[in-house]
Amino acid sequence: MKFKNVVSFNIKRVVPILGLAGATMFMGGCEKDDNGPTRDVEIRFTQKETDDLFYDDENDVRHPSILAQEYVKDPTIRTIYLVPEGTWANMDRNGIKGMRTATLDLIMNYSPKFRGKGDFNFMVGEASKIPEDSLWYVSKGWTINKRLLEQAQQNQR
């Protein structure tokens, strides 16, 4: 016994269907965009050496440094960490506030790529006198007098 299967089709419908099937073979699907940010960088600064952070123009207007501006424009950079180095132990509450308002706030507002990293070892007790500024530093990623906290924890053991 033989079965004969007859499929009727309309040539007007087959051609567009074959065309769509062929086109999907050559079209790229969801391709991953490899042009996204891929690395983090650090800008290190000390109390006396801040050239990589900012510069003052001839009118004494403060701007992010050329290096910082180039990092912001670079699409392969995800995060720019600002890392304090050296001692900051001579900074009283006025110095802490001044550094925030005159320099660091300017840099942080320049681009969302900027983030704090590392520890400021300010004069003992001075940061607690200005809680709004201390909270700002911590919210941006820095720690304040971390070594004192570590020493206190070790003494409790």
Side-chain angles (χ1 to χ4, degrees):
M1 189 154 90
K2 255 183 166 180
F3 288 102
K4 214 176 196 185
N5 192 2
V6 178
V7 179
S8 62
F9 58 88
N10 186 343
I11 193 84
K12 289 181 182 177
R13 290 187 183 159
V14 171
V15 172
I17 290 172
L18 288 175
L20 281 173
T24 57
M25 290 174 55
F26 296 107
M27 288 176 43
C30 296
E31 293 179 19
K32 186 175 180 181
D33 184 15
D34 289 334
N35 295 334
T38 58
R39 64 186 175 119
D40 297 338
V41 295
E42 293 181 350
I43 296 178
R44 297 181 173 273
F45 62 99
T46 65
Q47 241 183 317
K48 299 190 187 299
E49 189 59 43
T50 56
D51 292 343
D52 287 341
L53 272 185
F54 67 89
Y55 71 94
D56 294 329
D57 66 13
E58 60 274 352
N59 298 321
D60 289 330
V61 176
R62 188 155 286 177
H63 301 279
S65 70
I66 301 301
L67 175 67
Q69 292 178 34
E70 288 174 0
Y71 279 167
V72 168
K73 291 176 189 173
D74 188 339
T76 65
I77 295 177
R78 176 182 41 236
T79 305
I80 306 163
Y81 288 107
L82 304 179
V83 183
E85 291 186 327
T87 184
W88 299 82
N90 63 343
M91 298 270 292
D92 63 1
R93 63 180 163 193
N94 294 328
I96 295 168
K97 185 174 193 67
M99 184 172 61
R100 174 197 166 186
T101 57
T103 303
L104 296 176
D105 216 13
L106 168 86
I107 301 282
M108 290 295 187
N109 290 332
Y110 184 72
S111 171
K113 285 186 173 185
F114 288 109
R115 187 91 180 112
K117 181 179 177 183
D119 184 59
F120 282 104
N121 61 334
F122 294 135
M123 189 179 293
V124 177
E126 289 298 301
S128 63
K129 295 177 182 176
I130 44 170
E132 64 278 359
D133 289 326
S134 299
L135 292 173
W136 181 88
Y137 280 94
V138 172
S139 73
K140 299 302 181 187
W142 288 290
T143 56
I144 296 176
N145 294 340
K146 184 177 179 180
R147 67 174 169 75
L148 296 176
L149 178 63
E150 290 171 350
Q151 286 175 355
Q153 288 174 347
Q154 286 177 355
N155 290 339
Q156 288 178 354
R157 292 180 188 164

